[in-house]
Structure formats: C-alpha cells, structure tokens
Coordinates of all heavy atoms in Angstrom, one line a residue:
V1 N 54.3 -142.3 136.2 CA 55.5 -142.2 135.4 C 55.1 -142.0 134.0 O 54.2 -142.7 133.4 CB 56.4 -143.4 135.5 CG1 57.5 -143.3 134.6 CG2 56.7 -143.7 137.0
K2 N 55.6 -140.9 133.3 CA 55.3 -140.6 131.9 C 56.7 -140.9 131.2 O 57.7 -140.6 131.5 CB 54.9 -139.2 131.8 CG 53.7 -138.9 132.2 CD 53.2 -137.4 132.0 CE 51.9 -137.1 132.6 NZ 51.5 -135.7 132.4
C3 N 56.4 -141.6 129.9 CA 57.6 -141.9 129.1 C 57.9 -140.6 128.3 O 57.0 -140.0 127.6 CB 57.3 -143.1 128.2 SG 57.4 -144.6 129.1
L4 N 59.1 -140.2 128.2 CA 59.7 -139.0 127.6 C 60.4 -139.4 126.2 O 61.0 -140.4 126.2 CB 60.6 -138.2 128.5 CG 60.0 -137.8 129.9 CD1 61.2 -137.2 130.7 CD2 58.9 -136.9 129.7
V5 N 60.2 -138.6 125.2 CA 60.9 -138.8 124.1 C 61.5 -137.4 123.6 O 61.0 -136.4 123.9 CB 59.9 -139.3 122.9 CG1 58.9 -138.2 122.6 CG2 60.7 -139.9 121.7
G6 N 62.6 -137.5 122.9 CA 63.4 -136.3 122.5 C 64.5 -136.0 123.4 O 65.0 -136.9 124.1
T7 N 64.9 -134.8 123.4 CA 66.1 -134.3 124.3 C 65.5 -133.6 125.4 O 64.8 -132.7 125.3 CB 67.0 -133.5 123.5 OG1 67.5 -134.3 122.4 CG2 68.1 -133.0 124.4
V8 N 65.8 -134.2 126.6 CA 65.3 -133.5 127.9 C 66.3 -133.3 128.9 O 67.2 -134.1 128.9 CB 64.1 -134.4 128.5 CG1 62.9 -134.6 127.6 CG2 64.6 -135.8 128.9
T9 N 66.2 -132.3 129.7 CA 67.1 -132.0 130.8 C 66.3 -132.0 132.0 O 65.2 -131.2 132.0 CB 67.8 -130.7 130.6 OG1 68.6 -130.7 129.4 CG2 68.7 -130.3 131.8
L10 N 66.6 -132.7 133.0 CA 65.8 -133.0 134.2 C 66.6 -132.7 135.4 O 67.6 -133.3 135.7 CB 65.2 -134.4 134.2 CG 64.4 -134.8 133.1 CD1 64.2 -136.3 133.1 CD2 63.0 -134.1 133.1
P11 N 66.2 -131.6 136.2 CA 66.8 -131.3 137.5 C 66.4 -132.3 138.7 O 65.1 -132.6 138.7 CB 66.5 -129.8 137.8 CG 65.2 -129.7 137.2 CD 65.1 -130.6 136.0
Y12 N 67.2 -132.7 139.4 CA 66.9 -133.5 140.7 C 67.6 -132.9 141.9 O 68.7 -132.5 141.8 CB 67.3 -135.0 140.5 CG 66.5 -135.7 139.4 CD1 66.9 -135.8 138.1 CD2 65.4 -136.4 139.8 CE1 66.2 -136.5 137.3 CE2 64.6 -137.0 138.8 CZ 65.0 -137.1 137.6 OH 64.2 -137.7 136.6
D13 N 66.9 -133.0 143.0 CA 67.3 -132.6 144.3 C 67.9 -133.6 145.0 O 67.2 -134.6 145.3 CB 66.1 -131.9 145.0 CG 66.6 -131.4 146.4 OD1 67.7 -131.5 146.8 OD2 65.6 -130.7 147.0
G14 N 69.2 -133.6 145.2 CA 69.8 -134.7 146.0 C 69.4 -134.9 147.4 O 69.7 -136.0 148.0
A15 N 68.7 -133.9 147.9 CA 68.1 -134.2 149.3 C 66.9 -135.2 149.3 O 66.6 -135.6 150.3 CB 67.6 -132.7 149.8
D16 N 66.4 -135.4 148.2 CA 65.3 -136.4 148.0 C 66.0 -137.7 147.5 O 66.3 -137.8 146.3 CB 64.3 -135.9 147.0 CG 63.2 -137.0 146.7 OD1 63.2 -138.0 147.3 OD2 62.3 -136.7 145.8
P17 N 66.2 -138.7 148.3 CA 67.0 -139.8 147.9 C 66.2 -140.8 147.0 O 66.8 -141.8 146.5 CB 67.3 -140.5 149.3 CG 66.2 -140.2 150.1 CD 65.8 -138.7 149.8
N18 N 64.9 -140.7 146.8 CA 64.1 -141.6 146.1 C 63.1 -140.8 145.1 O 61.9 -140.9 145.4 CB 63.3 -142.5 147.0 CG 62.7 -143.7 146.4 OD1 63.2 -144.1 145.3 ND2 61.7 -144.3 147.0
P19 N 63.7 -140.2 144.1 CA 62.8 -139.5 143.1 C 61.9 -140.4 142.4 O 62.1 -141.6 142.3 CB 63.8 -138.7 142.3 CG 65.0 -139.5 142.4 CD 65.0 -140.1 143.7
T20 N 60.8 -139.8 141.8 CA 59.9 -140.5 140.9 C 60.7 -141.1 139.7 O 61.5 -140.6 139.2 CB 58.8 -139.6 140.5 OG1 58.2 -139.0 141.4 CG2 57.9 -140.3 139.5
E21 N 60.3 -142.3 139.4 CA 61.0 -143.1 138.3 C 60.9 -142.3 137.0 O 60.0 -141.5 136.9 CB 60.3 -144.5 138.1 CG 60.5 -145.4 139.3 CD 59.9 -146.8 139.0 OE1 59.3 -147.0 138.1 OE2 60.1 -147.6 139.9
L22 N 61.8 -142.6 136.2 CA 61.9 -141.9 134.9 C 61.7 -143.0 133.9 O 62.2 -144.1 133.9 CB 63.2 -141.2 134.7 CG 63.6 -140.6 133.4 CD1 62.6 -139.5 133.0 CD2 65.0 -140.1 133.4
C23 N 61.0 -142.7 132.7 CA 60.8 -143.6 131.6 C 61.2 -142.8 130.3 O 60.8 -141.7 130.1 CB 59.4 -144.0 131.5 SG 59.0 -145.0 130.0
L24 N 62.1 -143.5 129.5 CA 62.5 -142.9 128.3 C 61.9 -143.8 127.2 O 62.0 -145.0 127.2 CB 64.0 -142.9 128.1 CG 64.7 -142.0 129.2 CD1 66.2 -142.2 129.2 CD2 64.3 -140.6 129.2
L25 N 61.4 -143.1 126.1 CA 60.7 -143.9 125.0 C 61.6 -143.9 123.8 O 62.2 -142.9 123.3 CB 59.4 -143.3 124.7 CG 58.5 -143.8 123.7 CD1 58.0 -145.2 124.2 CD2 57.2 -142.9 123.5
I26 N 61.8 -145.1 123.2 CA 62.5 -145.2 121.9 C 61.5 -145.3 120.8 O 60.6 -146.1 120.9 CB 63.4 -146.5 121.9 CG1 64.4 -146.5 123.0 CG2 64.0 -146.7 120.6 CD1 65.2 -147.9 123.2
R27 N 61.7 -144.4 119.9 CA 60.9 -144.4 118.6 C 61.7 -144.2 117.4 O 62.6 -143.4 117.5 CB 59.8 -143.3 118.7 CG 58.6 -143.5 119.6 CD 57.5 -142.5 119.3 NE 56.4 -142.7 120.3 CZ 55.6 -141.8 120.6 NH1 55.7 -140.5 120.0 NH2 54.6 -142.0 121.4
D28 N 61.4 -144.9 116.4 CA 62.1 -144.8 115.2 C 62.0 -143.4 114.7 O 61.0 -142.8 114.7 CB 61.5 -145.7 114.0 CG 61.8 -147.2 114.3 OD1 62.8 -147.4 115.1 OD2 61.1 -148.0 113.7
G29 N 63.3 -142.8 114.3 CA 63.3 -141.5 113.8 C 63.2 -140.4 114.9 O 63.3 -139.2 114.5

C-alpha cells in the first residue's frame, strides 16, 4: 500500500470485491 497525496482519481472494478487497501496522506500545505 502506497500513501497518496494531492488530488487523485482511482478506478475500481466492482467485480473485485476486495481491492488493495488505499492510503491517503495528510501534509501541511
């Protein structure tokens, strides 16, 4: 799992009921 920062758009396939976890990073500014 990689932590993402900024604005991201992520597509997910509903046929996969258990996708890889997502991590969002909070950084000042």
Side-chain angles (χ1 to χ4, degrees):
V1 177
K2 292 183 180 178
C3 285
L4 304 174
V5 66
T7 300
V8 295
T9 299
L10 303 165
Y12 287 95
D13 182 356
D16 177 4
N18 194 19
T20 301
E21 292 181 357
L22 173 63
C23 176
L24 301 175
L25 186 60
I26 299 174
R27 282 194 184 156
D28 290 340

